[in-house]
Amino acid sequence: MRVLVVMAMHAEAEPVVRELGLAPVSTPPWAAHVPMKLYQGRVGSMELDLVVNGVDKQSGLDLIGTQAATASAMLGCEAFKPDLVVSAGTCGGFAKRGGEIGKVYLAEDRVWYHDRRVPIPGFDAMARGGYMVANLDNVAETLGLARGVVTTGDSLDLSAEDSERIEAVGAHAKEMEAAAVAWVAGLFGAGFTALKSVTDIVDGPHPPEEEFFENLKHATEQLAKELVRLVHAIAEDAGLA
Ligand code: SAH
């Protein structure tokens, strides 16, 4: 069994690389021009690969959002042919649904887009995504992981239109990559899940851009801790630990 983890920011990935003892590997020659960074390792006899979006050439900042996530997932899936793809990162949580800073959600049910609006029959449903997540109920129960519906869009702020769609699916985790990664995993016939740690409270009093940096370190430490537990439990469940 082979698991691919897809992450956006270096700060999010660093504790994961350290705690799983992953080693950097070069991108395949056909992808030499992309900014994505690849890492590899093992959990028992399970192969574990990680792709991080890398930095934007013009700004020097970490690439975030669905555009880079799509390219990362495509690269990782083509290079490693994973059985399961995990979109791991940070998210905004919702106090009204039990969200707290540093709480880590394993995706449940489906992953949605909240900012793609196409009011044409058929295209409307396609734009919403709604990609199924893999059934990891047993693993989640063993680990006592919180479960939540994940929703994706390309903005950090919250518009009234986005909010309507987020409420329609009762989302617990608002972030910027998962649905894009889920779509690519589906193209490759791989299972998909997401693990998201709360950096900011969407329905709280503070703007996300302030809370995000204040809580990034704590949230990423929690994320790394739960991701390590998750991949070990998946390896054990598959008899590979
Ligand atoms: N300002 C930061 C970038 C943060 S963008 C910087 O310059 O480095 C937010 C990143 O964290 C995205 O990858 C997204 O998936 C996640 N995220 C955390 N909280 C979010 C929220 N409330 N809404 C959308 N994405 C969020």
Side-chain angles (χ1 to χ4, degrees):
M1 181 180 191
R2 195 155 188 162
V3 174
L4 170 70
V5 179
V6 182
M7 300 184 83
M9 300 177 67
H10 278 112
E12 293 168 338
E14 191 273 328
V16 173
V17 169
R18 184 166 21 92
E19 283 181 37
L20 286 172
L22 305 180
V25 292
S26 46
T27 43
W30 48 264
H33 53 287
V34 304
M36 284 79 203
K37 301 286 177 218
L38 302 178
Y39 299 84
Q40 287 192 285
R42 273 177 184 278
V43 175
S45 56
M46 183 177 87
E47 290 176 276
L48 186 92
D49 310 297
L50 167 69
V51 51
V52 184
N53 286 353
V55 297
D56 176 46
K57 252 192 204 158
Q58 264 137 44
S59 63
L61 296 171
D62 282 334
L63 287 160
I64 54 169
T66 62
Q67 180 175 272
T70 303
S72 278
M74 181 87 195
L75 169 59
C77 285
E78 187 60 45
F80 303 126
K81 306 283 190 291
D83 302 293
L84 176 71
V85 181
V86 184
S87 167
T90 58
C91 67
F94 294 82
K96 63 184 157 195
R97 285 188 277 274
E100 288 164 22
I101 301 297
K103 183 166 179 174
V104 179
Y105 290 104
L106 180 68
E108 69 173 343
D109 191 29
R110 292 168 185 270
V111 183
W112 303 94
Y113 278 111
H114 55 252
D115 65 348
R116 305 202 310 183
R117 297 179 293 278
V118 187
I120 302 172
F123 286 92
D124 51 358
M126 184 172 77
R128 294 289 280 119
Y131 311 116
M132 286 298 295
V133 304
N135 183 347
L136 293 171
D137 293 352
N138 290 345
V139 165
E141 204 165 308
T142 310
L143 297 177
L145 272 175
R147 307 299 300 273
V149 171
V150 178
T151 185
T152 302
D154 270 301
S155 298
L156 186 64
D157 69 2
L158 179 69
S159 71
E161 288 89 347
D162 292 357
S163 180
E164 223 173 83
R165 284 164 180 78
I166 290 171
E167 292 310 310
V169 298
H172 299 80
K174 170 181 178 281
E175 51 77 82
M176 300 174 64
E177 291 88 13
V181 177
W183 178 70
V184 176
L187 296 182
F188 282 79
F192 171 82
T193 196
L195 192 71
K196 300 284 160 172
S197 179
V198 175
T199 45
D200 52 276
I201 300 297
V202 178
D203 55 350
H206 309 292
E209 60 275 21
E210 279 173 23
E211 274 191 306
F212 180 84
F213 285 112
E214 249 166 59
N215 301 317
L216 183 60
K217 188 162 186 290
H218 174 61
T220 53
E221 279 166 7
Q222 293 304 111
L223 175 68
K225 195 175 100 188
E226 297 300 349
L227 184 61
V228 169
R229 293 177 74 221
L230 178 67
V231 294
H232 276 97
I234 290 171
E236 227 159 79
D237 205 46
L240 301 169

